[in-house]
Amino acid sequence: MKKERSLRSARWFEPDSIRGFAHRQRSLQMGYRRSDFMGRPVVGIINTHSDLATCHQHLRHRAEDVKRGVLLAGGFPVELPTFSLGEVVVKPTTMLYRNLLAIETEELLRAHPIDAAILLGGCDKTTPGLLMGAASAGLPAVFVPAGPMVSGNFRGRAVGAGTHTKEYWDKRQSGGITEQDWLDLETAMTRSPGTCQTMGTASTMTCIVEAMGLTLTGAATIPAVDSGHPRMAAEAGAVATRLAREGRALSEQLTRGHFNNGVVALMALGGSTNAAIHLVAMARRVGLADFGLDDIAEAGRDVPVLANIFPSGEYMMQDFHDAGGMPALLWQLKDRLDLDALCVDGQSLGAAIEGAKVWNDKVICRPDVPVTDRPALAVLKGSLAPGGAVIKPSAATPALLCHEGRAVVFDGPADLAARIDVEDITADDILVLRGGGPVGAPGMPEWGNLQIPKALLKNGVVDMVRISDARMSGTHYGTCILHVSPESAVGGPLALVHSGDRIALDVAAGRLDLLVDEATLAERRLGWKPPVAPSRGWPALYVAHVGQAQDGCDFDFLQTDNTPLKEPEIF
């Protein structure tokens, strides 16, 4: 057995002082016995449940399952609700508040007598937000993923949240479905608690977290309503209790090998482009200050897409789980992984996944017969994106991956909505949206999957090259270049594009170029003015301190400089 460390919570409960008396007294006030918390590890359950967090409706119950595991392992569980980022409902975008969740998580853990944390989340930004905060707090932590919702079905066809919403919306726009069809779809896609059952940002991030060893092996794909999910939550509580006594802080556990494993998983999953932002932010929270897009491109080079899941494939997350889930997927790529990387339960990744079987090779494909010959993510640079941009080739149209076209420029989504069906646009044109970055929007919303003009949809055009400094839902598809950096709002080249300019895209070469001479751009820059920044509240703080997409969109004052964390004074 590993040597037990002294409990952090003892600073609150053990002193023979007036403050120690007050802490014990107030705990007794809540009906606890001294023996419930004295000398026991205190496990803080950070819960992102709320009545408007649609994917997290079951997490109130999962907190009780975690408590059961903590109590049976000899710990003392306490639940601490935190900011809930329910994708879709939160406006203008949950990305505006990811860093706020990270701040609240860090401060909740630091300010209270907590020895280890359970992080209950799953919907898109909750996973990186919780982990960023826990890493900065310097405590042991175990992530408990919310799990995917049950598969959707519409008149005998598998349909998934996000992916098929966009498909059927385009069909409605072109007259391909009726209004009653559209209403019927509302109850067909999202039929239970849980995150999107496609490989959107939610499942991408929870699966990456499993590959990084930050949750229990096999946890990420358990459906939210499966009886295995509460069992997993209880086991996580027991593991967190043990970590409180003998484990390392999350920030001490994570190495570059863990992040490289996460990148391999991202590529093999056909995962969301949003993961590129979150991985960079998470890495820099644990001292990997030079980890960036180039590292993601290198670690993921030539990793095949093996998960045949929408939007890159044709199955759902429940199918993936039944086919063997992440252990089976990772074991097929063992030669690309750091198998010595430690998991939260103390095992190496290699030991955790050794011999995992694929039970359906139509869902988890063999490396020699991948889902597609195109990668899940490509990094682009060039005169239009000197800091970088990303695209998801596995969900794009192959013929458009090398393309030159005329730019049609829109300044924000309102301008797009007003003009997209008015302008004379051809299928060879390139749609450009600016004002969607972390500073410009603010918060970098998922505006990047620009709508196709109705006239083109009616003529059978379902994809075009689209460029923006915004993000795109991981559930969506199309030839969309995203996260163009630096963004237009800080004076990046995107701010200088005019309708009629020529733009060249070459994904194989990793290039995105604005074909306009430097003299013309210099003249345009003289007339450029930055947008007016928010003057109060969270948006003002956000815009003043947020980094660009290439740097993970974290705040400048939150990225670690490896200075030891100071514990709160108790007087």
Side-chain angles (χ1 to χ4, degrees):
M1 178 179 290
K2 296 180 182 178
K3 181 180 178 181
E4 290 196 8
R5 65 178 187 175
S6 58
L7 295 175
R8 178 175 178 270
S9 58
R11 295 183 62 234
W12 275 260
F13 294 126
E14 290 187 0
D16 183 13
S17 65
I18 190 170
R19 285 296 172 216
F21 170 84
H23 298 150
R24 294 187 297 271
Q25 176 194 47
R26 294 300 183 171
S27 298
L28 296 171
Q29 178 187 3
M30 293 185 284
Y32 297 120
R33 303 167 299 172
R34 283 174 60 100
S35 58
D36 289 338
F37 56 86
M38 292 291 288
R40 294 179 180 270
V42 180
V43 176
I45 303 168
I46 307 296
N47 195 348
T48 54
H49 168 274
S50 90
D51 285 346
L52 286 177
T54 59
C55 301
H56 293 178
Q57 287 302 290
H58 58 309
L59 292 189
R60 178 176 288 169
H61 303 292
R62 290 299 171 271
E64 296 303 315
D65 298 315
V66 171
K67 291 176 184 178
R68 172 164 50 90
V70 171
L71 288 168
L72 289 173
F76 180 60
V78 292
E79 187 175 352
L80 301 170
T82 191
F83 195 11
S84 185
L85 301 180
E87 201 71 29
V88 180
V89 174
V90 172
K91 303 301 177 190
T93 170
T94 55
M95 188 62 182
L96 179 62
Y97 301 108
R98 183 202 67 181
N99 295 347
L100 182 55
L101 172 60
I103 289 172
E104 186 175 11
T105 299
E106 177 180 352
E107 299 306 327
L108 277 172
L109 293 175
R110 182 174 293 124
H112 290 93
I114 304 299
D115 299 302
I118 286 285
L119 309 173
L120 283 176
C123 190
D124 293 24
K125 317 309 176 298
T126 60
T127 300
L130 288 167
L131 287 164
M132 289 161 66
S136 294
L139 296 180
V142 180
F143 183 76
V144 173
M149 66 181 79
V150 299
S151 298
N153 192 282
F154 181 63
R155 299 174 183 173
R157 183 195 180 193
V159 289
T163 301
H164 293 98
T165 303
K166 184 69 169 62
E167 177 185 327
Y168 281 105
W169 171 257
D170 286 347
K171 287 183 178 180
R172 184 187 184 217
Q173 295 293 90
S174 63
I177 62 170
T178 67
E179 289 300 306
Q180 188 59 51
D181 292 335
W182 183 244
L183 290 175
D184 291 346
L185 277 162
E186 288 185 1
T187 58
M189 292 183 188
T190 51
R191 305 190 300 173
S192 79
T195 56
C196 294
Q197 70 282 68
T198 52
M199 189 51 70
T201 304
S203 287
T204 297
M205 289 308 302
T206 56
C207 288
I208 284 174
V209 164
E210 183 174 330
M212 294 174 66
L214 303 180
T215 188
L216 302 185
T217 303
T221 59
I222 302 173
V225 295
D226 190 293
S227 62
H229 203 266
R231 290 195 295 271
M232 176 271 294
E235 179 60 23
V239 170
T241 306
R242 187 173 75 244
L243 284 175
R245 292 190 175 104
E246 59 189 42
R248 292 181 300 172
L250 192 64
S251 54
E252 297 171 349
Q253 175 186 333
L254 289 170
T255 65
R256 187 172 291 270
H258 287 87
F259 285 94
N260 288 343
N261 288 347
V263 172
V264 171
L266 164 63
M267 299 300 187
L269 290 163
S272 168
T273 51
N274 291 318
I277 296 175
H278 300 317
L279 279 168
V280 171
M282 290 163 60
R284 297 188 181 186
R285 284 294 186 105
V286 297
L288 298 176
D290 60 344
F291 188 89
L293 289 178
D294 291 341
D295 298 276
I296 291 174
E298 181 59 32
R301 194 179 310 281
D302 299 325
V303 175
V305 177
L306 302 185
N308 189 12
I309 306 170
F310 290 112
S312 295
E314 55 188 21
Y315 290 94
M316 300 285 187
M317 284 300 297
Q318 186 169 340
D319 302 312
F320 181 48
H321 179 69
D322 293 340
M326 285 303 293
L329 180 83
L330 293 173
W331 188 244
Q332 295 209 86
L333 295 167
K334 57 184 180 294
D335 294 339
R336 299 295 302 264
L337 299 169
D338 179 353
L339 296 176
D340 293 326
L342 286 179
C343 302
V344 287
D345 62 0
Q347 294 186 90
S348 68
L349 178 66
I353 65 173
E354 185 172 7
K357 302 291 185 183
V358 173
W359 303 113
N360 186 340
D361 62 9
K362 292 181 180 179
V363 179
I364 302 177
C365 299
R366 301 195 313 271
D368 59 331
V369 190
V371 176
T372 173
D373 59 0
R374 304 186 303 280
L377 184 139
V379 175
L380 306 173
K381 293 189 176 181
S383 62
L384 188 54
V390 298
I391 184 174
K392 187 173 184 176
S394 63
T397 300
L400 293 175
L401 296 178
C402 185
H403 182 79
E404 181 181 323
R406 177 183 71 109
V408 182
V409 182
F410 302 94
D411 286 304
D415 185 34
L416 175 72
R419 295 171 43 222
I420 189 66
D421 294 317
V422 176
E423 296 286 331
D424 183 15
I425 299 173
T426 73
D428 290 329
D429 289 337
I430 295 178
L431 305 180
V432 177
L433 177 75
R434 57 190 175 204
V439 172
M444 207 177 180
E446 292 179 340
W447 294 342
N449 194 331
L450 282 65
Q451 65 199 70
I452 306 293
K454 288 181 182 179
L456 294 181
L457 287 171
K458 290 178 180 178
N459 287 331
V461 176
V462 295
D463 195 12
M464 297 174 67
V465 176
R466 290 159 277 178
I467 299 173
S468 76
D469 46 12
R471 298 178 302 109
M472 178 176 80
S473 168
T475 65
H476 286 179
Y477 52 89
T479 310
C480 300
I481 294 93
L482 310 156
H483 314 176
V484 171
S485 184
E487 65 175 299
S488 59
V490 299
L494 196 66
L496 308 179
V497 181
H498 285 188
S499 290
D501 290 347
R502 304 292 293 181
I503 295 175
L505 167 67
D506 189 339
V507 173
R511 298 291 304 183
L512 181 65
D513 291 294
L514 176 61
L515 305 181
V516 176
D517 63 81
E518 288 296 330
T520 301
L521 293 177
E523 184 178 351
R524 291 178 184 178
R525 186 169 291 283
L526 293 175
W528 176 80
K529 294 182 180 179
V532 177
S535 60
R536 69 172 303 277
W538 178 255
L541 178 66
Y542 184 93
V543 166
H545 294 283
V546 72
Q548 289 293 288
Q550 69 194 62
D551 297 317
C553 296
D554 201 1
F555 288 167
D556 49 16
F557 61 85
L558 291 178
Q559 297 182 49
T560 183
D561 59 3
N562 289 322
T563 301
L565 295 170
K566 185 179 180 181
E567 285 285 358
E569 300 286 355
I570 301 177
F571 290 112

